[in-house]
Amino acid sequence: MILKKNIMELIEQNPFLSQKQMAEKLNLNKNTLKYYIKKMKEKGVIERVGTNRKGKWIVKS
């Protein structure tokens, strides 16, 4: 749960971060971060709006 909270805080601070940048800031493996991002998207906690390069993250809760 703490990891999900950290991801949401990062997104709130800068919604334009890439997954690679988030993984570096959280000191995680990129694949680990991708796993949690996928689960959070499935549950509707976060959403990606726009393209992969020009999009941004939105925290929905």
Side-chain angles (χ1 to χ4, degrees), residues 4-56:
K4 291 179 183 179
K5 184 179 178 195
N6 291 345
I7 293 170
M8 290 188 334
E9 287 174 0
L10 259 184
I11 291 171
E12 288 171 350
Q13 291 170 9
N14 185 355
F16 300 99
L17 286 175
S18 68
Q19 288 185 7
K20 181 180 178 184
Q21 290 169 322
M22 281 191 243
E24 288 171 0
K25 287 185 179 282
L26 294 172
N27 211 15
L28 291 173
N29 181 304
K30 187 177 173 189
N31 289 332
T32 303
L33 180 81
K34 279 184 165 188
Y35 171 81
Y36 282 101
I37 292 279
K38 180 181 175 189
K39 292 294 181 188
M40 292 169 74
K41 283 169 65 175
E42 287 173 356
K43 290 182 180 180
V45 177
I46 60 173
E47 179 183 2
R48 179 77 179 179
V49 176
T51 65
N52 287 341
R53 291 182 156 231
K54 301 280 183 180
K56 67 178 184 175

